[in-house]
Amino acid sequence: MKKPVTAIIGAGQVGATAAQRLIEKNISNVVLFDIVEGLAEGKALDLMEAAPVEGHNREVKGTTRYEDIAGADVVVVTAGMPRKPGMSREDLLVLNAKIVKSVCENIKKFAPNSIVITVTNPLDIMTDLAAKLLGFPKSRVFGMAGVLDSARMRYFISLALGVEPHRVSSIVLGGHGDLMVPVTSQMLCDGKPVTLSEADRKAIIERTQNGGAEIVKLLKTGSAFYAPASSVAQMVDAVLNDKPAPLPVCAHCKGEYGVQDMYCGVVAKLGKEGIKEIIQLPLTPDEQRMLKESVEKVGAGIREVAAMAF
Ligand code: APR
């Protein structure tokens, strides 16, 4: 039987760490691509030299040739640039839109039957752009943000409760930005509802919404990559192995939560054909209002990119 292959475009912090998670968790072989000569090859070789110690049988191949992604089951797009000093938000948007455009042209050419998972920020906008550029069925294009944001929220809840993080479940919906919606009405520990003080609940919402910025502030150069890479690996695993548990992902909505023909963070079942089903959660009026605001902000960003020449 053919071993599943995940192509990762961008061998930076998130891409290379995702490759590590995928091979070491025995989820798939990996083709790691970057435009920087030697970067993907060097990281792939380093990862393979760890194989005898880690004891896995997976392979990772580094490359600068797009032909090598041919036949990939899943393509993860992490290629992008971080914001540099003096760069406006719009400059970054144009720069990453250009990168996503060139990446999508090559995915279309070399891996036309793949499932595409976007990671490049601003996530919702880049996912919408990728879907339009690829022209694949929308169920085969979705973004990684909700698993990460929810994982951060789960960790913060576990700290408040003083329990192990894996015992907590919770969901974040909406755009992957400061208006994301941590759904505090549905926090669970060991499958049972969690009740927190109002101060703790508000603090968890705020820390979750600022989760990415908190890491950037600490690292000073660069942004989070361990938890993003774990989140990518969980999504790839769900796709390749038809895992039944729904995950929060940036998916194309067709009326769910009133969101029409737009990408947005929702909970969905994933499998070999991509998004199998979007599951709508009951939300409090407050959460519904937050979601509406978050969706409006994502919509404005999508319109901004649509109006740009790049
Ligand atoms: N094609 C392929 N790779 C590219 C391209 C391109 N056109 N342009 C840039 N890259 C590569 C860079 O060479 C770099 O190795 O993308 C990689 C990005 O890696 P990092 O700068 O380390 O960024 P990382 O922390 O991995 O984040 C990647 O994920 O979470 C998001 O906001 C984050 O958008 C960013 C993305």
Side-chain angles (χ1 to χ4, degrees):
M1 208 174 83
K2 177 184 165 280
K3 285 187 179 171
V5 175
T6 303
I8 300 179
I9 313 298
Q13 299 279 60
V14 177
T17 313
Q20 179 184 5
R21 299 266 196 259
L22 288 169
I23 57 169
E24 291 181 0
K25 287 177 167 217
N26 200 25
I27 295 171
S28 75
N29 287 347
V30 172
V31 175
L32 187 59
F33 173 96
D34 205 286
I35 44 166
V36 176
E37 202 65 44
L39 182 69
E41 293 93 324
K43 291 193 178 179
L45 179 59
D46 196 10
L47 282 167
M48 285 314 294
E49 287 169 356
V53 182
E54 294 296 332
H56 64 78
N57 292 317
R58 295 290 176 177
E59 284 170 22
V60 50
K61 174 189 166 76
T63 185
T64 49
R65 291 161 18 106
Y66 265 112
E67 297 91 293
D68 291 332
I69 74 166
D73 302 278
V74 179
V75 182
V76 177
V77 182
T78 74
M81 290 290 169
R83 189 143 140 192
K84 302 220 170 77
M87 201 187 248
S88 73
R89 195 186 145 273
E90 198 182 12
D91 293 340
L92 181 74
L93 210 54
V94 173
L95 194 64
N96 279 351
K98 276 186 185 159
I99 292 173
V100 167
K101 188 178 177 198
S102 82
V103 170
C104 287
E105 282 163 1
N106 285 291
I107 296 174
K108 220 171 150 171
K109 189 167 170 193
F110 294 106
N113 300 316
S114 59
I115 303 275
V116 178
I117 302 177
T118 51
V119 181
T120 305
N121 276 320
L123 190 271
D124 311 272
I125 300 172
M126 291 302 136
T127 308
D128 178 87
L129 178 66
K132 286 176 181 150
L133 294 167
L134 288 163
F136 293 0
K138 299 270 193 331
S139 56
R140 283 209 275 128
V141 185
F142 43 94
M144 188 292 290
V147 176
L148 169 64
D149 295 327
S150 304
R152 286 176 172 152
M153 184 180 177
R154 291 168 64 192
Y155 177 59
F156 302 147
I157 296 167
S158 80
L159 291 179
L161 297 177
V163 301
E164 298 97 326
H166 67 89
R167 290 170 56 192
V168 175
S169 60
S170 65
I171 293 291
V172 176
L173 300 176
H176 181 53
D178 49 11
L179 295 185
M180 68 177 75
V181 187
V183 182
T184 51
S185 63
Q186 296 188 37
M187 303 180 289
L188 302 173
C189 180
D190 297 330
K192 297 189 191 78
V194 166
T195 319
L196 294 172
S197 71
E198 190 52 16
D200 277 352
R201 194 184 71 86
K202 284 196 168 142
I204 283 166
I205 292 178
E206 202 177 317
R207 197 168 177 198
T208 303
Q209 290 172 328
N210 294 318
E214 185 178 2
I215 305 266
V216 168
K217 199 169 164 205
L218 288 166
L219 294 181
K220 294 182 187 68
T221 55
S223 47
F225 56 98
Y226 291 117
S230 294
S231 307
V232 166
Q234 189 178 36
M235 287 173 69
V236 173
D237 189 24
V239 168
L240 294 176
N241 297 306
D242 274 309
K243 290 276 164 85
L247 294 176
V249 299
C250 174
H252 182 254
C253 294
K254 298 180 288 297
E256 293 87 355
Y257 301 103
V259 182
Q260 280 297 348
D261 191 22
M262 208 185 105
Y263 273 87
C264 172
V266 290
V267 173
K269 284 190 181 168
L270 305 183
K272 289 206 172 69
E273 64 271 40
I275 302 280
K276 292 209 270 198
E277 184 192 350
I278 292 178
I279 294 158
Q280 282 197 77
L281 307 175
L283 300 178
T284 65
D286 211 28
E287 288 161 351
Q288 283 173 21
R289 180 190 51 76
M290 286 170 77
L291 184 59
K292 192 162 175 278
E293 281 173 21
S294 183
V295 169
E296 279 166 7
K297 190 166 179 189
V298 172
I302 289 172
R303 285 192 294 279
E304 196 180 338
V305 169
M308 277 175 182
F310 58 85

